[in-house]
Each structure stands twice: as C-alpha cells, then as structure tokens.
Amino acid sequence: MRDPLRRRSFALLGSTGSVGVSTLALVERFPERFRAVALAAGRNMAVLAAQMHRHAPDLVSVADEASAADLRQRVPGFAGRILVGSAGPLAVATHPEADLVLSALVGALGLVPTLAAVRAGKHVALANKEVLVVAGELVTQAAREQGVTLLPVDSEHNAIFQALQGHNRAEVRRIVLTASGGPFLARSAAELATVTVVEALNHPTWKMGPKITIDSATLMNKGLEVIEARWLFDIDADHIDVVIHPQSIVHSMVEYIDGSVLAQMAVPDMTIPIGYALAYPARLPLDYLRPLDLPAAGTLTFVAPDRQRFPCLDLAYRALRAGGTMPAVLNAANEIAVERFLAEDLTYCEIPALVSAVMDAHEPAPASSLDVLLAADRWARDAARSSGVEERAAAQR
Ligand code: MG
C-alpha cells in the first residue's frame, strides 16, 4: 500500500500511554524509517516534554490550559504548535504530513479523531479497540470508501492480520482469539468475590495500562476483541471463538476450510505488533528483542474459557448479536464499571453485574451515525454511574 523504503510520517494519538511510549521507542530505533509529526497526549506533561525533545513534532495536543502552561515551561524553545482540548486530537489525526495515524487513546475518547483520520484518507494503525467496538460499522465503511487500510495493533488481531496475508478470505472457516486468561484464571467463584484492585492490576504476561489490565482480569478485554475482530475481518460472531492460552505465545489463529490452522507466535512484546503495523507490508529487523525459545517455554496449553466465572465474555457476544448501539452501551458501561472498581466503589464481581443491568435497560437502535452512537455512550455512562449496585447484589442473594 505504501513504498516500504520511504520514510514514513505518522501522527500518534495517545503518545504517553503504554502503546504510545513503545511506539516512540521503536521510532528511536529506526529514525531513518519513521517520523512522528504530531502527538496527542492528555496530562502527563513530563513524558510528553521528553518526547518533544527527542522527536521534535510539528504539533502536540494536551488536555487543558493548565497542562499547556506546564508544557511551555518544560519545553520553552518548542517551535511547533500546542493545541488544547478536543480540537487537539482532531488536528493531530488529520495532520497533512501524516499518511498514517496510530490510534492509541484509551477508551471511547479516541473515536472522533480516529474516524476523522479515516475520513481524511489516512491509513490507521488501531491500538484503541473501543473505536471498532463502538463504531465498527461506521469506521470500516468509511475506510472502504476512502480506500485506507486499518492495521490492527492489538496483538491478537495483528496475529490474525498476519495469518490472513496471501490467503483467500472466502476460505476462512473461523478465527480463534487467544486469551491469557488474566491473573484470576485459577480462582474459584468464591475467591473471585474478594479479589482486590492490586491483585487485578497484576497481569501475568503483559504490562499494560490499568483499564485494559482490569478488562483482561474480567475477560471483557477478550469480549471487546471479539467485537473488534467482527469488524476488522468482516466475520460474524458465530465464526469467532476464544481459547485460553496462559503463556501468551500463540497470539491468535485463523482456521481455513480445509482444516489448516495458521497461528502467529512470538514472545509477548507489543513492539512486534506495533512494528508490523507501522512498517506494513515490510517487517522490521527487531533483532534486539529476545527471540521466541520454544524449548525454554516448554509447554503451551489451551483451555476453553469458563463462561460462568467470567460472564463478561458472553456479555460481549450478546452485545454483538444485538447489534446497533448495544456494543457502544456495553463498552461505556464497562468503562464506568472499571472506573468504579479502581475507586473501590464496586467489587470485581459487580463489574459484569453492572454492565449487564445497563444493557438490560437499553433498547438498541441502528448505528446510523456517530451522534446516535455517542448519545448511547453518554446514556450508558450516566446509567452505570447512577446504578446502585447494592440493591442488585441484594436482589441476587
Ligand atoms: Mg489484545
């Protein structure tokens, strides 16, 4: 799709988060291949200032005036533009010099700028799964109209994207997403009732931000990835399966109609999917990473997910099958539930209970426009914030 030898200019939405930091570390390894022309961050000005010193972008965006004032003090000689508020990510996403936008803002925040990037004809490397969960139909339709490629950064979808290269989509029988199972794989239902925020934040194989780490512990992350896969690969819910693979070495698989299963394997390091998305269709020489040593790994195990202990997975399938605005409602209710869990205002087991209650109260409408989806998102957030979990827990007893 692009000349692999030309230096690629890209814009980064979410530069100070886990994926953003890994992306810019990769750019520093390959300065002759990539240039970050615009960075969107939030309030982490120490990290953003260091990134501006090293990458000299034309444009940065930050959450508010206080952050911008802080930033100007940290980078007094900065010659580019500093934008504030919601106009910032939009300007970053549509920067005229960027031919690729890496979308790594956390949560539904990334939706508007990512759709703007697609509509501006940018190829999009997608690390923010909520974009497709909330607005998969709109975003993929816009991508088709613009002739731009959506390059998955999520490790599972990146694996599937790789396993599809050179094959006929019509010959795919099903997609199998692998899940590490998170830190609570071996916990009984009774033990799950008492897990703490600290335990939930301690992911066994991946180092990520708090929202996605909690989503991994509840398996909601995998549920959101099922919805993401539906849109990225244009495949329905009945042909997407999930298998637990605690070692996180097989990153996902594609099964073809002849029974052949192609898997992508690698050490669990986000540098690999980020590098593949940035350099596609080329591969980067990442010889400084620890290679996959299968004899050292020893055993790779696979088990079916326990849908009773981890009800978030089926909530996501339910939202996908209901369609329209329901996945947006699932996603928004989950974001608030995770926020309330992190604030110790909700127990671990109340996360799926709250999401399910908000979905029960929603009548899905067709996903006809961004406004309709954003209204459903706002409604679900309000419903999830005001929902009294205590009454429901009492009702369940
Ligand atoms: Mg993933």
Side-chain angles (χ1 to χ4, degrees):
M1 64 189 221
R2 289 158 288 168
D3 174 4
L5 297 176
R6 190 168 62 83
R7 191 178 187 220
R8 187 161 293 164
S9 291
F10 73 101
L12 179 50
L13 294 168
S15 72
T16 61
S18 160
V19 168
V21 167
S22 297
T23 300
L24 291 177
L26 196 59
V27 171
E28 283 171 42
R29 291 268 183 177
F30 299 98
E32 72 291 352
R33 287 182 184 250
F34 306 113
R35 176 169 181 247
V37 290
L39 306 175
R43 293 188 176 84
N44 190 343
M45 294 304 105
V47 170
L48 180 60
Q51 292 175 339
M52 289 159 70
H53 280 300
R54 279 188 240 116
H55 297 275
D58 297 337
L59 167 69
V60 298
S61 88
V62 299
D64 48 38
E65 278 299 344
S67 300
D70 178 1
L71 190 63
R72 283 187 200 99
Q73 289 205 321
R74 290 173 188 270
V75 196
F78 180 61
R81 280 185 300 155
I82 299 175
L83 294 182
V84 168
S86 61
L90 271 179
V92 168
T94 55
H95 190 286
E97 272 182 49
D99 65 348
L100 178 99
V101 175
L102 199 151
S103 170
L105 284 168
V106 175
L109 205 63
L111 177 55
V112 172
T114 304
L115 188 57
V118 170
R119 287 179 174 156
K122 315 289 189 190
H123 298 293
V124 172
L126 208 51
N128 173 322
K129 64 194 65 174
E130 287 84 354
V131 166
L132 291 183
V133 171
V134 174
E137 200 174 342
L138 283 183
V139 172
T140 52
Q141 191 189 326
R144 275 193 301 275
E145 285 167 8
Q146 292 291 333
V148 301
T149 307
L150 299 178
L151 298 149
V153 173
D154 209 351
S155 60
E156 295 80 359
H157 305 77
N158 192 270
I160 293 161
F161 188 76
Q162 293 195 38
L164 287 169
Q165 296 299 309
H167 294 271
N168 182 349
R169 293 288 176 100
E171 292 172 349
V172 172
R173 182 190 283 163
R174 71 179 174 135
I175 278 172
V176 182
L177 293 168
T178 53
S180 71
F184 303 141
L185 192 53
R187 301 273 180 117
S188 69
E191 287 168 334
L192 284 176
T194 60
V195 300
T196 64
V197 171
V198 173
E199 289 175 298
L201 284 175
N202 189 16
H203 193 278
T205 48
W206 295 99
K207 286 282 154 271
M208 308 171 291
K211 160 72 167 57
I212 187 170
T213 303
I214 302 302
D215 284 347
S216 296
T218 61
L219 288 197
M220 182 59 95
N221 182 55
K222 210 50 52 179
L224 298 177
E225 289 181 356
V226 168
I227 301 173
E228 188 185 6
R230 184 265 170 267
W231 294 110
L232 272 173
F233 307 117
D234 195 18
I235 188 165
D236 63 58
D238 296 338
H239 296 91
I240 307 171
D241 283 328
V242 172
V243 64
I244 305 288
H245 168 49
Q247 297 82 14
S248 300
I249 285 175
V250 173
H251 295 299
S252 279
M253 298 169 258
V254 177
E255 182 180 303
Y256 289 91
I257 50 173
D258 63 352
S260 294
V261 177
L262 299 196
Q264 186 260 357
M265 299 198 283
V267 292
D269 187 323
M270 284 305 291
T271 308
I272 298 170
I274 292 168
Y276 189 77
L278 277 187
Y280 176 82
R283 287 184 187 270
L284 296 174
L286 302 178
D287 36 22
Y288 58 96
L289 297 184
R290 177 171 58 94
L292 175 59
D293 183 345
L294 283 174
T299 308
L300 301 184
T301 56
F302 301 90
V303 291
D306 184 331
R307 291 166 182 268
Q308 266 72 52
R309 277 189 302 135
F310 299 99
C312 284
L313 184 56
D314 279 343
L315 288 177
Y317 273 96
R318 189 182 129 198
L320 182 51
R321 291 191 169 106
T325 47
M326 194 59 100
V329 165
L330 166 94
N331 177 66
N334 179 61
E335 277 193 33
I336 300 304
V338 171
E339 210 176 279
R340 289 180 63 176
F341 171 72
L342 288 171
E344 298 184 340
D345 175 36
L346 218 62
T347 67
Y348 172 85
C349 294
E350 286 170 336
I351 296 174
L354 179 56
V355 174
S356 179
V358 173
M359 286 171 66
D360 287 345
H362 181 67
E363 190 60 51
S368 49
S369 71
L370 202 50
D371 286 344
V372 166
L373 292 164
L374 293 176
D377 173 282
R378 278 193 302 275
W379 172 84
R381 277 167 208 274
D382 290 344
R385 272 196 199 97
S386 59
S387 173
V389 175
E390 305 76 20
E391 296 103 89
R392 235 191 356 280
Q396 281 170 351
R397 275 197 290 271

